[in-house]
Amino acid sequence: MPADPDAASIAAARALAERVCRGERSAISQALNAVDDSRASHREARLALLDAVAPSVKGVRIGVTGAPGAGKSTLLDALVSGLRERDRSVGVLAVDPSSQRTGGALLGDRMRLGSSARDAGVFLRSLAARDQLGGLSEVTGPSLDILSAALDFVFVETVGVGQSEAQVIDVVDTLVFVAQPAAGDLIQFMKAGILEWPDLFFVNKSDLGDVATRAAAELRAGLDLGHRRDPDRVPPVLIGSARDGIGIDALIDELEAHTRYLAASGLGEVRRREGRLARIEHALRMRYGRFGLAKLGGAADFAALVEADPDVSADRVIDALSQRIERALAQPRETSGGA
Ligand SMILES: Nc1nc2c(ncn2[C@@H]2O[C@H](COP(=O)(O)OP(=O)(O)OP(=O)(O)O)[C@@H](O)[C@H]2O)c(=O)[nH]1
Ligand SMILES: [Mg+2]
């Protein structure tokens, strides 16, 4: 290893992790900044922090996806209020694909979280999607690890453009799809294969009347026919109005029911394990491509390497395997890029 592990910064990272697990806001904020700090000098502290929070995932992670303008942010706004009424602490992470140029839009611009903005049980953060194609930022996973160590419910908002669903399922327990009640939309989504991923559908803007009821019926029919991620369960299709606060309680009930289902069936454990594997593979593929991954042996060797250390953070594994790939690649020729 090139750098000496800095014992003081590792101790500080562990102390910070303890405060995160107690739900201290200032600690959560500091920890999110720390996982977003990619400087090499900060590497050990960052990994020590993620390792320290890794065993204490207390919160449920929920992805909220759907077409632009479907009402995802408005719905999150309503969900935050509803969950606070039930005395649950809530975190919201918004991955904003439009913020590449500005380097980060303010979530507060999109959410009108009146009183909850100052509520100690609510934590909001937005992330730029950076250079990943329609997908998640590399810090989405680690940010969710921090938030779910601290809070009861953690939501991540992503725009449904196809690819993001396939990535977001690697980092969440439950995926909610917010549907626009517009004719033709659903056909498009079905064609894109997006409808197989969500665990729950919320047809928003029921205040628009019949068009919403029809969209819900169309969706139910489509779900009966199509391929589903969880073959044992038909996802409920709810209908409501995020703007008017209609259907929010029912949605929270379904989210809690799904959480119980994941725990009771053992599926939650399976999803976290598979998600961790997929997330590590995705990160390595982004950095080194298929060729780099092949340096770790076949798929079975890769899975064995990842599962050898189930208790350390995904990021620690990514770091260790990156070093291994780089050593292997350094032999025939030098790699380019990387940061
Ligand atoms: N009529 C009606 N309008 C709604 C409802 N929910 C949201 N809207 C409106 O729909 C528009 C988009 O809402 P957002 O919550 O920003 O939608 P979004 O899905 O987060 O949008 P992006 O983040 O840009 O993808 C806004 O003008 C909202 O006021 C609803 O229940 N009924
Ligand atoms: Mg939004």
Side-chain angles (χ1 to χ4, degrees):
M1 283 211 197
D4 287 318
D6 177 350
S9 78
I10 292 174
R14 291 198 181 127
L16 179 60
E18 269 174 37
R19 292 175 50 221
V20 166
C21 295
R22 287 198 298 267
E24 284 181 34
R25 281 177 75 87
S26 61
I28 299 172
S29 179
Q30 202 183 327
L32 289 175
N33 292 340
V35 298
D36 197 16
D37 186 339
S38 55
R39 283 173 299 171
S41 59
H42 193 73
R43 177 177 147 267
E44 257 313 320
R46 180 180 185 277
L47 294 175
L49 172 64
L50 288 166
D51 282 345
V53 298
S56 33
V57 207
K58 82 166 187 180
V60 182
R61 308 163 179 219
I62 300 167
V64 175
T65 188
K72 300 177 293 294
S73 301
T74 312
L75 182 63
L76 282 166
D77 202 344
L79 283 170
V80 168
S81 309
L83 284 162
R84 292 304 293 143
E85 274 167 26
R86 297 187 190 195
D87 217 21
R88 312 282 195 197
S89 57
V90 198
V92 180
L93 202 63
V95 182
D96 191 341
S98 63
S99 58
Q100 277 181 30
R101 278 161 298 141
T102 58
L106 285 176
L107 185 56
D109 293 350
R110 304 289 188 93
M111 294 179 71
R112 295 154 294 280
L113 287 160
S115 58
S116 31
R118 285 180 304 276
D119 178 345
V122 178
F123 198 96
L124 312 175
R125 181 60 76 103
S126 61
L127 294 176
R130 302 206 176 142
D131 50 356
Q132 302 226 5
L133 282 175
L136 300 182
S137 155
E138 234 185 80
V139 295
T140 308
S143 300
L144 284 173
D145 290 341
I146 298 292
L147 289 171
S148 60
L151 303 156
D152 299 323
F153 280 82
V154 180
F155 293 91
V156 54
E157 176 185 344
T158 59
V159 178
V161 289
Q163 204 177 3
S164 58
E165 280 77 13
Q167 278 179 33
V168 83
I169 56 149
D170 296 340
V171 292
V172 299
D173 304 304
T174 298
L175 184 64
V176 178
F177 187 92
V178 182
Q180 283 260 46
D185 266 22
L186 293 173
I187 313 287
Q188 286 308 113
F189 290 134
M190 283 178 204
K191 280 189 189 154
I194 292 175
L195 298 190
E196 70 186 73
W197 304 110
D199 300 295
L200 244 166
F201 290 82
F202 187 84
V203 177
N204 192 29
K205 311 193 185 181
S206 61
D207 51 276
L208 298 180
D210 282 355
V211 66
T213 324
R214 275 201 304 276
E218 229 178 85
L219 197 46
R220 287 190 189 105
L223 288 168
D224 276 344
L225 300 173
H227 178 260
R228 290 190 306 265
R229 183 184 183 207
D230 178 359
D232 297 332
R233 182 180 163 276
V234 180
V237 177
L238 307 184
I239 178 163
S241 167
R243 189 194 66 185
D244 300 344
I246 310 234
I248 308 305
D249 260 339
L251 176 55
I252 296 176
D253 288 344
E254 286 292 349
L255 290 173
E256 305 217 80
H258 192 246
T259 302
R260 288 192 298 271
Y261 165 78
L262 289 177
S265 63
L267 184 62
E269 222 3 78
V270 172
R271 283 189 175 184
R272 286 202 176 180
R273 202 169 58 236
E274 290 179 352
R276 180 172 183 270
L277 184 71
R279 178 175 149 192
I280 293 167
E281 184 182 339
H282 179 78
L284 295 174
R285 198 183 286 278
M286 292 298 286
R287 288 185 196 176
Y288 306 107
R290 288 177 60 139
F291 183 70
L293 262 180
K295 295 282 178 197
L296 296 174
D301 287 359
F302 173 69
L305 282 171
V306 170
E307 283 176 12
D309 258 333
D311 295 329
V312 304
S313 65
D315 288 73
R316 173 75 71 187
V317 180
I318 292 168
D319 186 77
L321 295 182
S322 294
Q323 291 184 30
R324 218 187 240 238
I325 292 174
E326 276 174 32
R327 277 196 303 272
L329 289 173
Q331 285 166 0
R333 67 150 90 150
E334 220 179 273
T335 50
S336 59

